[in-house]
Amino acid sequence: MKIAHSTWVRYHHIDLARELERRGALVGVFTCLPWWRARMESRTQHIPRHKIHCNFLVQGIRRLAQRLPAIGARADSALAVLDTRVFSRWVAARLPPCDAYIGLSGTGLHAGRRAQAAGAGYVMDRGSTHIRHADQLLAEEYARWKLPRVPVNPWLIDNEIAESQAANLIIVPSHFAAETFVQQGIAREKLRVVPYGIQLKEFFSVAQPPADRFRLVFVGQFSLRKGALYLLQAFNEFAHPGKELVVVGNVSDDLKPLIAPYLNDRIRFVGAVPRSEVKTHLSSAHALVLPSIEEGLALVQAQAMACGCPIIATPNTGSETLFQHRREGLIVAPRSVPALVAAFTKLADDPALQRRLAAAALACARNIGGWERYADNVINFCREAQTLVAGGAAAAAATA
């Protein structure tokens, strides 16, 4: 089985490329990574450099433009369309012979059609909820907090809908994400849920939560999408003399004016940290809190479990695909400050429960499987997609 795939930046596709290469299945991964980052990934992930193809031009222009105050959200939206148009056609023009092609949402329409014309299967990979669902959900959230927001460019929505219609199969990382596709009219039979893997050699317990404090940790971009304001409200209402909240990650610009009233000396912002340091923050917390409004499957959840850190999360993080409520963590309603406060209180008041959840989370992480299992599942679905293309061609020939 020979597989090509495309992605914007690293995401999970470099891990997938590494595992495909180990199996002799990788013919190429197409990215918007700059060449120096591709060289680093090639060296650290043992992927031949000539198999990592890079087109950083428009992506680089867009990143530079985002740093200029004069470039607004609408201009960035137009650049996003240009980036998608250029990159998608670039991948298609360079697609090598393969048995299956996996296109991360937004990157794959032209290459997917070219792959199918050559008898290969086309698999669309969407790491989040359906693009229209995500846009609507975030529009509601921004309106709730009276923040301006430029919606997703209609062309980008139409492009991803065309991808979902053209693809033989669609893989998503959680059942929550899959249901949003069904709600948007995609046949359930076309969807495959493939949870992300975890590298247990990279994430493991290196510390213990403090005995004299109750520490919560948040990891990721601190934003409306991640439910940041509900977390701050809940933490301030949570009555505990030794409470502490550690925020690991950057604060989104549009959120900064809104968080000022909630800040105090019990909340510590450490900013973005190297990937190697994340396990220290997870290991030393009593729980990871992830009150997201919209996600496909937050990778940090499996990373926390591997560090023996219980999780407090909404279903909108894909949590229900990873763990069970009250077994490895607590699943709470989205946009609910009272639900978060109750979860914090439950763990703080019952140290034995926190320890049971921590032990169960660690055991569950070992059963999730690494990127090896993820790659095996993806390869199986690629074979299925190729079979669907072959079956369609045979049916067309029979009726000709």
Side-chain angles (χ1 to χ4, degrees):
M1 192 72 183
K2 298 299 182 182
I3 299 172
H5 54 119
S6 59
T7 180
W8 294 113
V9 287
R10 189 186 198 282
Y11 297 135
H12 57 285
H13 276 256
I14 297 299
D15 295 295
L16 175 60
R18 180 191 64 239
E19 297 305 322
L20 293 179
E21 176 63 21
R22 286 179 178 176
R23 291 157 176 75
L26 180 69
V27 295
V29 53
F30 295 82
T31 79
C32 286
L33 293 172
W35 65 266
W36 59 88
R37 178 65 185 274
R39 185 173 62 181
M40 182 271 289
E41 295 289 1
S42 171
R43 184 178 63 253
T44 59
Q45 303 301 324
H46 307 291
I47 304 168
R49 177 64 184 85
H50 70 273
K51 291 188 179 182
I52 305 178
H53 306 277
C54 305
N55 186 343
F56 185 62
L57 179 60
V58 181
Q59 182 84 190
I61 293 171
R62 186 182 176 198
R63 291 186 189 183
L64 286 173
Q66 288 172 340
R67 299 180 181 181
L68 301 175
I71 301 296
R74 294 191 184 279
D76 182 65
S77 176
L79 284 173
V81 171
L82 176 63
D83 193 11
T84 303
R85 287 181 183 272
V86 170
F87 186 69
S88 178
R89 293 184 182 277
W90 176 80
V91 175
R94 288 158 180 78
L95 189 71
C98 57
D99 300 310
Y101 162 69
I102 307 167
L104 185 64
S105 56
T107 73
L109 182 60
H110 297 97
R113 287 172 174 169
R114 180 178 176 185
Q116 289 170 325
Y122 170 29
V123 177
M124 175 188 176
D125 177 12
R126 172 74 176 171
S128 190
T129 60
H130 189 283
I131 188 170
R132 181 169 284 157
H133 172 273
D135 188 45
Q136 292 172 345
L137 203 59
L138 291 177
E140 294 172 4
E141 192 64 17
Y142 274 73
R144 172 176 290 206
W145 296 101
K146 297 180 173 58
L147 280 179
R149 175 179 178 267
V150 175
V152 176
N153 191 293
W155 186 92
L156 295 174
I157 293 177
D158 291 343
N159 181 65
E160 287 203 21
I161 290 174
E163 287 178 327
S164 65
Q165 293 169 342
N168 301 109
L169 293 175
I170 302 168
I171 57 176
V172 292
S174 69
H175 295 87
F176 171 71
E179 286 303 313
T180 68
F181 275 79
V182 174
Q183 293 165 11
Q184 294 294 329
I186 301 298
R188 193 179 297 275
E189 294 74 23
K190 198 172 187 175
L191 295 160
R192 301 291 182 271
V193 175
V194 191
Y196 299 134
I198 181 173
Q199 182 56 268
L200 294 176
K201 293 180 181 179
E202 185 178 5
F203 288 93
F204 49 89
S205 180
V206 295
Q208 293 293 322
D212 60 341
R213 283 160 286 163
F214 182 75
R215 178 180 293 164
L216 299 167
V217 64
F218 172 96
V219 179
Q221 187 187 45
F222 208 57
S223 63
L224 282 188
R225 178 174 176 260
K226 295 279 192 173
L229 288 174
Y230 302 107
L231 171 55
L232 291 176
Q233 288 180 338
F235 183 76
N236 281 336
E237 292 184 19
F238 170 46
H240 190 282
K243 67 180 181 181
E244 182 180 39
L245 172 63
V246 179
V247 177
V248 181
N250 293 322
V251 179
S252 65
D253 290 338
D254 55 8
L255 192 68
K256 290 177 180 178
L258 298 181
I259 67 174
Y262 303 105
L263 302 184
N264 55 61
D265 58 2
R266 302 293 185 92
I267 302 174
R268 181 159 55 96
F269 290 84
V270 300
V273 301
R275 186 178 172 92
S276 59
E277 294 181 15
V278 172
K279 63 179 176 289
T280 301
H281 290 286
L282 293 172
S283 300
S284 61
H286 292 91
L288 167 74
V289 188
L290 203 61
S292 300
I293 306 303
E294 187 278 325
E295 287 196 70
L297 182 67
L299 276 169
V300 71
Q301 292 177 108
Q303 295 167 355
M305 293 164 70
C307 294
C309 180
I311 304 166
I312 300 171
T314 67
N316 300 27
T317 64
S319 56
E320 292 173 318
T321 296
L322 282 182
F323 66 89
Q324 295 185 48
H325 177 58
R326 292 188 63 84
R327 180 174 294 185
E328 295 89 10
L330 302 175
I331 299 175
V332 300
R335 295 171 170 160
S336 175
V337 171
L340 286 169
V341 173
F344 300 165
T345 304
K346 184 183 294 292
L347 283 189
D349 289 351
D350 192 346
L353 172 63
Q354 191 277 337
R355 290 192 294 269
R356 286 198 302 272
L357 294 179
L362 181 58
C364 184
R366 291 169 178 160
N367 290 326
I368 288 173
W371 290 107
E372 298 89 349
R373 183 182 297 178
Y374 178 83
D376 288 341
N377 288 331
V378 169
I379 290 171
N380 287 336
F381 293 137
C382 283
R383 288 196 182 100
E384 185 181 355
Q386 185 188 32
T387 300
L388 290 171
V389 170
T399 57

